[in-house]
């Protein structure tokens, strides 16, 4: 039997769930794994506790690699995007002189106001609207009104914008960390590298984020979306309308979701499965249309010619839902979606999604790709409203009390299948490792 636990302590959890019944003096880990009994449980206070939420911002988001954006979003000198990561405002900008991608804390070194105020654009300089201190795209302080008031001792270099501690890019995906001692990005990504490569190599590395973004809020804990994004178990029941739609089109669903899940290390995980449902053409039909079978066959043959039968067919035929811990999802399905979710409170998150596509693809293919992006994964598509309803329903159910633990044991007694929960256990083991005893609480009385 193994049990995930630690010895150092943070303040005890205080939530409606734990306060609902008299407490005992027993202490317990919030993630409990018993391999002998094939049991894996997560305490529901992980989803409701303000103390756990505050500890996550410090222990998880301040010490993980966080996706900031894609290099294609800042392709020209001075291009920038403003993003919140880990509860902190930052902005990414391509330096006009160095050509380097910089990620800065979005705060003026004078009195703290936000410096980059627009979500995206191009700028030679960033001027704080409060007192008009001005910084260039390399972060250097370039101008101060009435500088003579400071005498001749003002150190402009010391008052430049502060870069985030670590910034690295992997094949266009830019990650930042507030931890200067975090491992290098390739080591951090671990097995997720293989799955990013499958996406990027399928177009010879020429990928770009399409302009435009989906943004919405979910009244649920952020970890529920981490679970949901790689959960094959819920597909048939939750997305019943979509499957009925496919049946109405004449799609053969007899094979179900055929695939498996993998623990990729460092909390990353993937769900990989054949398109509905095992037909080579099925993955691309929403993108190209049923009347484009010859073109699809040609493209598939080209991938296999360039990458070999095994790897080429994985690119062409298989779907992948990839979770890069803690809060980045890359869905390589009927469209390639890049999605992040930022915790705002124990029961609230902001979600942002972009579409990744081959650079310079034909206009008609780009239009179909965007249609696929919206039809299934958009805020009003087939899948996303279902998922939002399910996650918010879970969050509402947690407030009822009476049940302490979520069960995430499915598949522990066998080789994991696509509809098992091994991939979610990978996420929770990493979360528990980072959190230590954060959120230790008291059991409900029996």
């Amino acid at each position: 039997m193994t049990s995930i636990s630690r010895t150092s302590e943070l303040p005890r959890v205080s939530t409606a769930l734990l306060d609902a019944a008299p407490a005992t003096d027993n202490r317990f880990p919030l993630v409990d794994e018993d391999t002998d009994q094939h049991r894996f449980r997560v305490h529901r206070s992980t989803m409701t506790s303000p103390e756990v939420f505050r500890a996550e911002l410090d222990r998880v988001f301040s010490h993980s690699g966080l996706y900031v954006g894609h290099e294609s979003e800042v392709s020209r000198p001075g291009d920038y995007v403003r993003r919140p990561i880990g509860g902190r405002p930052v902005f990414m900008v391509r330096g006009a002189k160095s050509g380097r991608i910089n990620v800065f804390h979005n705060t003026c070194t004078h009195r703290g106001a936000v410096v980059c105020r627009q979500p995206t654009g191009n700028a030679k300089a960033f001027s704080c609207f409060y007192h008009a201190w001005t910084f260039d795209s390399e972060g250097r302080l370039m101008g101060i009104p009435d500088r003579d008031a400071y005498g001749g001792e003002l150190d402009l270099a010391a008052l430049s914008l502060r870069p985030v501690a670590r910034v690295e890019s992997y094949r266009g995906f830019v990650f930042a960390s507030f931890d200067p001692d975090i491992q290098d990005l390739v080591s951090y990504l671990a097995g997720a590298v293989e799955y990013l490569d499958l996406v990027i190599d399928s177009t010879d590395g020429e990928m770009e984020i399409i302009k435009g973004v989906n943004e919405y809020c979910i009244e649920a804990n952020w970890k529920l979306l981490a679970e949901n994004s790689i959960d094959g178990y819920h597909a048939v029941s939750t997305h019943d309308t979509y499957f009925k739609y496919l049946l109405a089109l004449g799609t053969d669903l007899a094979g179900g979701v055929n695939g498996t899940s993998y623990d990729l290390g460092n909390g990353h995980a993937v769900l990989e499965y054949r398109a509905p449902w095992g037909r080579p053409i099925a993955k691309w039909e929403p993108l190209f249309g049923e009347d484009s079978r010859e073109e699809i066959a040609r493209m598939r043959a080209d991938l296999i010619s360039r990458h070999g039968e095994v790897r080429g067919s994985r690119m062409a035929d298989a779907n992948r839902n990839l979770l890069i811990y803690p809060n980045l999802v890359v869905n390589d399905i009927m469209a390639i979606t890049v999605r992040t979710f930022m915790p705002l409170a124990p029961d609230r998150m902001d979600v942002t999604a972009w579409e990744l596509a081959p650079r310079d693809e034909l206009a008609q293919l780009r239009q179909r790709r965007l249609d696929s992006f919206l039809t299934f994964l958009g805020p009003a598509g087939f899948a996303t409203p279902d998922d939002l309803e399910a996650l918010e329903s879970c969050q509402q159910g947690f407030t009822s009390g009476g049940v302490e633990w979520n069960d995430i044991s499915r598949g522990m007694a066998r080789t994991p299948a696509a509809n098992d929960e091994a991939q979610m256990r990978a996420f929770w083991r990493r979360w528990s490792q980072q959190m230590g005893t954060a959120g230790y609480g008291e059991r409900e009385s029996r």
Side-chain angles (χ1 to χ4, degrees):
M1 172 178 177
T2 61
S3 181
I4 300 173
S5 61
R6 302 290 184 270
T7 55
S8 61
E9 293 191 2
L10 288 179
R12 293 185 176 191
V13 173
S14 175
T15 67
L17 173 63
L18 295 179
D19 292 340
T24 71
D25 291 331
N26 295 330
R27 310 296 288 175
F28 67 101
L30 296 181
V31 177
D32 177 56
E33 180 172 11
D34 186 336
T35 54
D36 293 338
Q37 297 298 318
H38 304 131
R39 185 188 71 199
F40 194 103
R41 307 186 302 174
V42 174
H43 200 270
R44 291 186 175 183
S45 63
T46 59
M47 306 292 190
T48 60
S49 164
E51 287 84 354
V52 169
F53 170 74
R54 287 192 294 270
E56 286 174 333
L57 293 180
D58 176 53
R59 298 194 176 194
V60 173
F61 286 91
S62 291
H63 298 281
S64 296
L66 305 175
Y67 176 74
V68 182
H70 194 268
E71 289 182 7
S72 63
E73 297 179 89
V74 289
S75 58
R76 300 173 302 158
D79 281 354
Y80 67 87
V81 292
R82 185 189 67 187
R83 300 274 154 79
I85 62 171
R88 311 190 199 190
V90 304
F91 69 100
M92 176 173 72
V93 58
R94 188 177 290 274
K97 292 185 177 180
S98 69
R100 183 178 63 243
I101 291 180
N102 303 304
V103 180
F104 295 112
H105 291 273
N106 197 358
T107 178
C108 183
T109 53
H110 176 221
R111 297 273 287 280
V114 166
V115 173
C116 179
R117 302 181 68 203
Q118 300 301 318
T120 185
N122 183 277
K124 294 181 179 179
F126 298 88
S127 183
C128 174
F129 84 105
Y130 195 9
H131 296 98
W133 283 33
T134 302
F135 307 85
D136 69 9
S137 58
E138 308 289 359
R140 292 184 292 248
L141 177 59
M142 305 300 293
I144 297 176
D146 195 16
R147 182 174 170 182
D148 291 343
Y150 291 92
E153 304 301 322
L154 192 63
D155 186 347
L156 295 183
L159 292 169
S160 295
L161 292 176
R162 296 292 187 269
V164 175
R166 288 285 295 273
V167 177
E168 289 185 79
S169 177
Y170 182 75
R171 304 194 69 182
F173 289 78
V174 180
F175 291 79
S177 179
F178 302 111
D179 181 357
D181 299 320
I182 195 172
Q183 64 193 135
D184 68 274
L185 181 58
V186 171
S187 298
Y188 176 82
L189 291 174
V193 164
E194 173 187 355
Y195 293 88
L196 288 176
D197 286 346
L198 285 172
V199 172
I200 298 164
D201 288 343
S202 67
T203 59
D204 293 328
E206 297 297 319
M207 304 290 283
E208 65 179 355
I209 292 289
I210 299 174
K211 290 187 180 297
V213 63
N214 288 336
E215 294 178 305
Y216 50 95
C217 182
I218 306 178
E219 301 290 338
N221 188 274
W222 69 275
K223 298 184 291 299
L224 289 173
L225 186 53
E227 292 180 347
N228 174 268
S229 298
I230 49 173
D231 176 14
Y233 192 21
H234 80 286
V236 174
S237 55
T238 303
H239 302 306
D240 177 67
T241 301
Y242 180 63
F243 286 101
K244 287 178 179 176
Y245 166 74
L246 292 178
L247 285 171
L249 295 178
T251 306
D252 181 7
L253 303 180
V257 179
N258 297 312
T260 189
S261 60
Y262 300 99
D263 177 347
L264 302 177
N266 290 337
H268 318 312
V270 68
L271 181 67
E272 186 171 28
Y273 52 99
R274 291 286 166 173
W277 299 103
R279 296 181 298 120
I281 197 172
K283 178 179 178 179
W284 287 341
E285 271 184 356
L287 179 58
F288 291 89
E290 293 186 14
D291 56 347
S292 302
R293 296 192 174 218
E294 289 186 7
E295 176 65 10
I296 292 173
R298 183 198 66 76
M299 293 180 65
R300 185 177 186 275
D302 180 63
L303 284 175
I304 291 173
S305 173
R306 287 189 286 122
H307 300 284
E309 178 68 35
V310 174
R311 194 161 189 263
S313 65
R314 285 180 72 193
M315 291 176 179
D317 306 336
N319 290 295
R320 282 166 289 276
N321 293 19
L322 171 66
L323 171 67
I324 296 179
Y325 182 92
N327 67 329
L328 169 65
V329 172
V330 179
N331 287 319
D332 181 12
I333 46 179
M334 72 283 291
I336 305 171
T337 300
V338 179
R339 175 195 287 164
T340 60
F341 35 98
M342 296 296 171
L344 302 177
D347 58 355
R348 185 178 176 86
M349 73 181 104
D350 273 346
V351 183
T352 308
W354 304 266
E355 174 64 4
L356 186 70
R359 193 186 304 275
D360 299 324
E361 69 179 340
L362 295 176
Q364 60 267 35
L365 296 186
R366 177 63 58 90
Q367 182 58 44
R368 284 186 177 270
R369 181 182 300 279
L370 288 171
D371 181 70
S372 296
F373 173 52
L374 293 172
T375 299
F376 188 72
L377 291 166
F382 275 110
T384 299
D386 294 340
D387 289 330
L388 266 63
E389 177 72 14
L391 302 191
E392 292 185 348
S393 179
C394 290
Q395 197 70 40
Q396 294 163 17
F398 295 152
T399 65
S400 177
V403 179
E404 289 191 81
W405 299 92
N406 280 355
D407 184 272
I408 311 180
S409 304
R410 184 177 174 88
M412 288 185 75
R414 67 182 184 186
T415 300
N419 59 354
D420 286 333
E421 296 168 340
Q423 62 275 27
M424 284 170 267
R425 293 191 288 272
F427 169 88
W428 279 108
R429 290 187 187 107
R430 177 60 177 164
W431 181 91
S432 181
Q433 181 186 48
Q434 286 194 302
M435 290 287 284
T437 60
Y440 257 55
E442 300 167 341
R443 295 182 188 275
E444 283 192 321
S445 60
R446 300 295 184 182

